[in-house]
Amino acid sequence: MKNLVIATVFLLTTVSFAQEKHQKRGERKKENIEFIKNLSPEQQASLKTKRMTLALDLTKSQQQEIYTINLEKAKKRKNMHLKKERNSILQKKELSSEERFDIMSTRLDEKIAHKKRMKSILSEKQFEQWQKIHKKRITRKHKK
């Protein structure tokens, strides 16, 4: 009986600590997202380029080319976010199926162009590694 009580107390304390740790992780993730949103496009591009340099072992010329790509994407993302904010404040209208199709089509065209640019900059080995990292990020994003 005494062993059962000790085991139960141990189990309860372990579970409660695990839940606290999980909650803290979620809060940290939200804080990081907010922090990144508040950075300038130049800062975002610089950080992303440095992360890619560490992961893919980029040369100086590759770093410069990828920085320009990341900067373009960060500026576009910032503008889209501001535009979306303004539109949501002004009006909340549903998009027609034609408008949705156009948006999805342009987004996919941009992704294809980005992939081609990355393929032209990176070596075959680096490109394969980049694709693996990119796929992991996408699957993690869709699991939520």
Side-chain angles (χ1 to χ4, degrees), residues 1-137:
M1 184 69 179
K2 187 177 178 182
N3 290 338
L4 183 63
V5 171
I6 291 173
T8 306
V9 169
F10 177 73
L11 184 65
L12 288 174
T13 56
T14 305
V15 170
S16 66
F17 280 121
Q19 287 176 350
E20 284 179 30
K21 202 174 210 179
H22 182 68
Q23 288 172 346
K24 287 180 183 177
R25 250 189 235 144
E27 290 171 12
R28 251 186 282 134
K29 191 172 184 177
K30 287 179 184 176
E31 288 173 5
N32 285 341
I33 291 171
E34 282 299 315
F35 172 73
I36 290 172
K37 281 183 180 178
N38 293 329
L39 292 176
S40 71
E42 292 80 11
Q43 291 171 323
Q44 290 177 10
S46 177
L47 289 176
K48 188 167 185 174
T49 304
K50 287 180 181 184
R51 273 190 240 114
M52 288 178 73
T53 301
L54 288 172
L56 303 174
D57 196 31
L58 302 175
T59 64
K60 282 284 185 192
S61 62
Q62 287 175 325
Q63 286 177 34
Q64 291 170 343
E65 291 180 61
I66 288 177
Y67 174 78
T68 57
I69 292 172
N70 288 336
L71 183 59
E72 290 171 12
K73 285 185 76 176
K75 285 180 178 178
K76 189 178 281 186
R77 210 173 23 252
K78 197 78 152 183
N79 289 336
M80 290 294 285
H81 180 70
L82 292 173
K83 185 178 177 183
K84 190 176 179 181
E85 247 180 31
R86 275 190 237 118
N87 286 343
S88 67
I89 291 171
L90 295 175
Q91 60 190 4
K92 290 188 177 188
K93 78 167 194 173
E94 288 290 319
L95 295 175
S96 69
S97 60
E98 190 66 32
E99 290 172 325
R100 276 188 165 167
F101 173 77
D102 290 340
I103 290 171
M104 291 174 78
S105 180
T106 54
R107 188 175 293 154
L108 289 172
D109 288 341
E110 288 173 2
K111 285 183 179 184
I112 291 168
H114 178 69
K115 190 173 184 177
K116 283 182 182 178
R117 286 177 78 182
M118 292 302 286
K119 192 171 189 173
S120 69
I121 295 170
L122 300 174
S123 68
E124 280 186 43
K125 185 179 176 185
Q126 289 172 328
F127 184 72
E128 288 173 16
Q129 201 172 1
W130 176 77
Q131 280 186 311
K132 286 179 187 176
I133 293 168
H134 195 66
K135 283 180 184 176
K136 278 183 187 178
R137 198 182 94 234

